[in-house]
Amino acid sequence: DLYRKVFVFRKDPSDAYVVLRARLEQPLHNFTVCLRSYTDLSRPHSLFSYATKAQDNEILLFKPRPEEYRFYVGGKFVTFRVPEGRRDWEHVCASWESASGIAEFWLNGKPWPRKGLQRGYTVGATAAILLGQEQDSFGGGFDLYNSFSGELTDVYLWDTGLSPDKMRAAFLSLRLPPALLAWSSLSYEVKGDVVVKPRLRE
């Protein structure tokens, strides 16, 4: 149980990453991914990378610069411009719905204007899910200058779009519905220089 704990990615740039294991029974037609990050990086970095053998950027949360997030589904992406962080924790949730092709992005409990992305697409189920690196091939192909350095916590993946109430609950660390990946019961493997530590502050 990683309650009140964080992954600290100590080096910059880094070859370290964390492999996450999810029990995916079938392909995803909807999903929500949430996580909390704390970094002083200004270069591009990957937060959450979900690759299949057919598509390395099947699901990707990527931050090319401090005032921008990119949300990929099936290799295509939409951009969400954000205020440059005050070097504090940032909580993001991104959700996607195949039927409407609607991508939602929430930052620190607030929704951004929705965008259209990959209507009718299906996200493959046999996936390599990584924190800290961006995959250019299944489970590998890393560019160290896209690596994450800093602290990550509260990582979740659901096979549904979360309601606005649940999006806010994720930001506030309240009770959440059962998830494919849940921070409270995460199955993970650390590869390289990543340390699990208590959170410094709530």
Side-chain angles (χ1 to χ4, degrees):
D1 183 3
L2 290 168
Y3 178 66
R4 298 208 174 187
K5 293 197 167 79
V6 300
F7 289 133
V8 181
F9 293 78
R10 299 193 321 160
K11 285 162 55 190
D12 172 30
S14 171
D15 57 359
Y17 58 101
V18 178
V19 180
L20 305 182
R21 295 199 176 77
R23 291 167 198 75
L24 283 137
E25 314 285 303
Q26 64 244 7
L28 300 174
H29 299 281
N30 311 282
F31 69 83
T32 306
V33 58
C34 295
L35 56 82
R36 211 179 295 272
S37 68
Y38 189 32
T39 180
D40 58 7
L41 290 176
S42 53
R43 63 165 173 76
H45 56 277
S46 173
L47 292 161
F48 180 95
S49 172
Y50 176 118
T52 58
K53 291 195 164 110
Q55 176 52 255
D56 54 355
N57 295 335
E58 191 73 278
I59 303 172
L60 176 64
L61 266 178
F62 191 76
K63 205 167 181 197
R65 54 187 66 86
E67 64 283 354
E68 187 181 308
Y69 280 91
R70 279 187 196 166
F71 176 34
Y72 287 75
V73 176
K76 304 272 188 344
F77 70 89
V78 285
T79 296
F80 294 93
R81 299 191 202 299
V82 299
E84 190 162 341
R86 296 179 301 286
R87 297 289 183 250
D88 202 349
W89 283 96
E90 288 189 1
H91 183 267
V92 296
C93 287
S95 80
W96 172 80
E97 181 181 81
S98 176
S100 63
I102 289 285
E104 273 185 39
F105 181 83
W106 292 64
L107 176 66
N108 295 335
K110 296 191 179 68
W112 254 233
R114 288 172 278 201
K115 301 198 172 184
L117 181 63
Q118 291 284 53
R119 188 176 193 161
Y121 188 77
T122 302
V123 169
T126 307
I129 308 175
L130 268 53
L131 302 177
Q133 298 286 350
E134 192 250 312
Q135 303 176 73
D136 284 328
S137 60
F138 187 73
F142 309 142
D143 174 349
L144 298 194
Y145 290 95
N146 287 334
S147 63
F148 178 78
S149 161
E151 306 192 10
L152 284 179
T153 188
D154 295 346
V155 181
Y156 288 87
L157 175 67
W158 289 271
D159 58 359
T160 56
L162 290 197
S163 67
D165 284 354
K166 290 288 185 278
M167 289 288 201
R168 283 186 280 272
F171 169 58
L172 297 168
S173 299
L174 303 176
R175 272 191 70 115
L176 293 166
L180 298 171
L181 285 172
W183 191 249
S184 53
S185 58
L186 202 62
S187 174
Y188 69 91
E189 188 181 348
V190 167
K191 302 280 194 177
D193 195 345
V194 182
V195 185
V196 176
K197 297 294 282 181
R199 260 173 85 166
L200 292 175
R201 50 175 283 262
E202 283 309 303

